[in-house]
Amino acid sequence: MTLSKTQRKLMLAPAVTALALSGLVASPAFATDKAADPAPASPSTEKSAPKTKSQEAAPTAPAPAALAPVADEKSISQTDLQEKGLPVSIKPTTGDPAGKKVTTKFVDSKEGQFEGTSFTLDSEGKYSGTIKANGKLAPGAATIELFIEGQEGAAGTIGLTVVEDAPAAPKASVDPKSLPQNAFEDGNTFNVDVSGFDADEEVTVTIDGKKLSFDKSFENGEGVIYVTAEDGAPTSVGTHEVVVTGATSGKTATTSYEITEAVEAGSIKTNRTEFTAGDKTWGGGIDVTGEGWEPNTEVTVQIGIGNGQSGSSIASANVKTDENGNFTLKNFTPEEAPRLLEDDERMSLVAGANGVYAESVELTVVEKKVEPSITATPEKISASDFENEDKGVTIEATGYQEGETVKATVNHEDGKTEEFTLNATADEEGNVSFKLYAIGDAVLGNYTVELNGDETDGSLSTGFEVVADDNGDDEGNGGGDGDNNADDNDDQLPRTGAELGGLGAGVVLLAVGAASVLLTRRRSTKSSTDAGEI
């Protein structure tokens, strides 16, 4: 049907009204069949204001890099995470992290935190490898956080499940692996090292199905079992199976040892067997030779000190035999100087291979040898010098033991003084020294000095002579006029003093009173100018 213009206007009227109500001026568009051309816009005469710096767009900061890590495994054991690591593949999702260092952190199910492996992203910002934890994570859900150097916050995370380690299976190993038959029968042992059993669990040992005569238990489920022929272990040549069984857990661990054909030990010799105490060179070094050993076998040479109950090695060296079973060990010298042995001690040179030992060589240590000697200085002294405390006669001797007490006995050859004794202690070199001098007027004549040590056998003796001064003042009674009566003479008796030198030096015998008088008291109080009677 064809509508008239009037009908079209009437039908469009409601639409116009609706548009008007909505705020749109639409009526001109429907006034005629053809819309009027829009009026041309008048050109603006105003200039646009220039933009300020604040209105200019600021440069946009690069977006932080993000990583998309993927774990090749969703679960891993506690030990594997530490020792093997979790295999991962990492690539960037935003930013450009190429060449950047990445650090990692593990967070376990109990919020425990552990450092992890660090690595560097390649030129494409990728990484493919493993990430290890530096500690044992608690079992359960855990995360790995990835941090890019110079960037705040985690750039990515990995979720994983940590599985508790399964209990370790019991293990057993034996050392040595084999022994010659005679070595095992002579008391050498196989040491069976076991682990993985329950704490304090008793274990039994069977060898070739035969239970040994002892049971063992270990506080932490591990330890060493010593297998000996004495305990009933098989000694026949061949391989023997050792089974260790937990009494409560029923766990077992198996190992084996081998018994080989009996072998004979070789022999050893040394260039010296006697040494001087304190000689750090051990006489210039010990040379050890051996022969008759198994060819191309390692032999252990030792010097040991023992008392029958216990002992220790003071030097040890290994040497390999040649194709003929011989060896030479040059300049085998312990670090410590030899010492004098106690009465129940013995020092020996021993050598062994594969648990078989040669006959030992006994070594001895002797005291340092010093030829005993004694001197009197001077051997002849004037009366005035003998009366001089700073001069006198010095007796020196050597050849004693350190700390030994040495007694000196002094006598006048003509018996004009009482016998006098004094003691000294030998120093670390075995030396002693005494100083003798007169207190008052000296008694002329010859004196003998004899030394005896309380440890050293024999005695040493020497002598000296006191002579009158050149001016003759000491001729006769050493300066007396010979006219005094006996009582007066006793009051003015010439006396010989003595002073102990060396160790304990400075003890003047004048201080001991009567002891010094004994040395100088004349056997006769008769007044005389005859030197033979003084």
Side-chain angles (χ1 to χ4, degrees):
M1 175 180 67
T2 303
L3 298 176
S4 66
K5 290 182 179 181
T6 302
Q7 290 173 322
R8 291 195 299 267
K9 289 179 181 179
L10 291 173
M11 293 179 68
L12 292 171
V16 173
T17 303
L19 292 172
L21 290 173
S22 65
L24 298 176
V25 182
S27 58
F30 301 100
T32 62
D33 293 333
K34 184 178 180 181
D37 294 332
S42 300
S44 176
T45 58
E46 296 180 2
K47 295 183 178 180
S48 299
K51 293 181 179 179
T52 64
K53 287 185 177 180
S54 61
Q55 293 172 317
E56 294 178 357
T60 302
L67 301 175
V70 177
D72 295 350
E73 301 175 5
K74 295 300 182 183
S75 63
I76 187 171
S77 70
Q78 294 168 305
T79 298
D80 284 350
L81 189 57
Q82 289 181 263
E83 297 179 357
K84 298 179 180 179
L86 181 71
V88 298
S89 298
I90 299 172
K91 63 182 180 179
T93 55
T94 61
D96 182 18
K100 292 293 185 69
K101 181 180 179 181
V102 177
T103 57
T104 61
K105 179 177 70 175
F106 287 82
V107 181
D108 67 12
S109 59
K110 294 184 178 180
E111 301 300 323
Q113 298 186 8
F114 304 84
E115 290 183 1
T117 304
S118 298
F119 53 87
T120 301
L121 300 172
D122 64 16
S123 59
E124 296 180 354
K126 298 179 179 180
Y127 170 77
S128 180
T130 58
I131 300 177
K132 297 179 181 180
N134 73 344
K136 189 173 184 178
L137 276 67
T143 57
I144 306 174
E145 298 178 355
L146 312 178
F147 299 90
I148 297 177
E149 185 178 24
Q151 181 175 304
E152 293 185 2
T157 60
I158 303 173
L160 71 154
T161 300
V162 179
V163 180
E164 186 174 7
D165 290 334
K171 296 179 181 179
S173 60
V174 65
D175 181 55
K177 298 292 186 184
S178 65
L179 281 173
Q181 188 178 47
N182 53 333
F184 189 47
E185 292 175 342
D186 288 344
N188 287 274
T189 66
F190 287 107
N191 307 322
V192 180
D193 193 343
V194 299
S195 62
F197 289 93
D198 294 345
D200 297 320
E201 180 180 25
E202 190 175 82
V203 297
T204 61
V205 181
T206 59
I207 302 179
D208 296 343
K210 177 185 177 182
K211 183 178 179 297
L212 294 193
S213 59
F214 66 88
D215 296 325
K216 296 281 289 185
S217 62
F218 305 102
E219 182 177 355
N220 58 357
E222 60 183 38
V224 178
I225 299 171
Y226 302 99
V227 175
T228 68
E230 187 176 312
D231 293 321
T235 62
S236 59
V237 174
T239 300
H240 302 278
E241 184 183 59
V242 180
V243 179
V244 183
T245 305
T248 55
S249 68
K251 299 175 182 177
T252 61
T254 303
T255 186
S256 63
Y257 66 82
E258 182 182 10
I259 299 294
T260 60
E261 295 287 348
V263 297
E264 293 300 324
S267 60
I268 55 173
K269 295 180 180 179
T270 181
N271 58 333
R272 54 177 56 88
T273 59
E274 183 177 283
F275 306 92
T276 301
D279 178 14
K280 293 182 178 181
T281 69
W282 287 76
I286 304 171
D287 296 338
V288 183
T289 58
E291 59 183 25
W293 297 84
E294 288 292 309
N296 303 310
T297 298
E298 188 174 81
V299 178
T300 300
V301 181
Q302 293 180 309
I303 294 177
I305 297 177
N307 59 10
Q309 302 297 323
S310 62
S312 61
S313 172
I314 62 173
S316 180
N318 294 327
V319 60
K320 193 171 184 179
T321 61
D322 60 21
E323 63 275 10
N324 297 317
N326 303 325
F327 71 82
T328 299
L329 180 61
K330 288 283 190 181
N331 196 28
F332 179 51
T333 306
E335 292 184 1
E336 296 182 4
R339 63 171 176 82
L340 293 175
L341 303 175
E342 301 294 337
D343 291 342
D344 62 344
E345 287 184 321
R346 296 294 181 269
M347 182 165 64
S348 302
L349 175 72
V350 296
N354 299 319
V356 180
Y357 291 86
E359 184 176 350
S360 62
V361 177
E362 186 171 355
L363 308 178
T364 58
V365 181
V366 298
E367 296 174 338
K368 184 178 179 180
K369 294 180 180 179
V370 177
E371 290 298 327
S373 63
I374 185 171
T375 59
T377 307
E379 293 182 352
K380 181 180 288 188
I381 187 172
S382 67
S384 59
D385 284 348
F386 193 47
E387 295 165 2
N388 187 335
E389 179 180 345
D390 295 330
K391 293 184 178 181
V393 175
T394 300
I395 307 297
E396 294 178 311
T398 189
Y400 296 97
Q401 301 300 316
E402 178 182 355
E404 181 177 3
T405 299
V406 181
K407 181 176 74 172
T409 303
V410 185
N411 279 295
H412 192 283
E413 283 191 353
D414 295 332
K416 295 182 178 180
T417 64
E418 297 288 345
E419 182 179 272
F420 181 73
T421 62
L422 64 162
N423 295 327
T425 303
D427 63 18
E428 61 183 8
E429 299 297 328
N431 303 323
V432 291
S433 177
F434 303 87
K435 185 176 183 182
L436 305 175
Y437 62 92
I439 300 176
D441 295 336
V443 177
L444 305 183
N446 292 310
Y447 291 82
T448 61
V449 180
E450 183 178 282
L451 303 187
N452 289 278
D454 59 2
E455 298 179 29
T456 303
D457 294 335
S459 61
L460 297 176
S461 61
T462 186
F464 62 92
E465 182 182 7
V466 179
V467 297
D469 287 352
D470 291 341
N471 59 19
D473 287 346
D474 294 287
E475 184 176 355
N477 62 5
D481 58 12
D483 293 333
N484 297 326
N485 58 36
D487 290 338
D488 290 341
N489 197 40
D490 279 343
D491 292 339
Q492 300 178 14
L493 289 175
R495 294 191 262 180
T496 302
E499 181 176 4
L500 175 61
L503 290 174
V507 182
V508 182
L509 292 182
L510 178 60
V512 301
S516 62
V517 176
L518 290 176
L519 178 64
T520 59
R521 180 170 296 158
R522 302 177 186 179
R523 291 189 179 278
S524 171
T525 58
K526 177 181 177 181
S527 176
S528 173
T529 58
D530 183 356
E533 296 180 358
I534 297 177

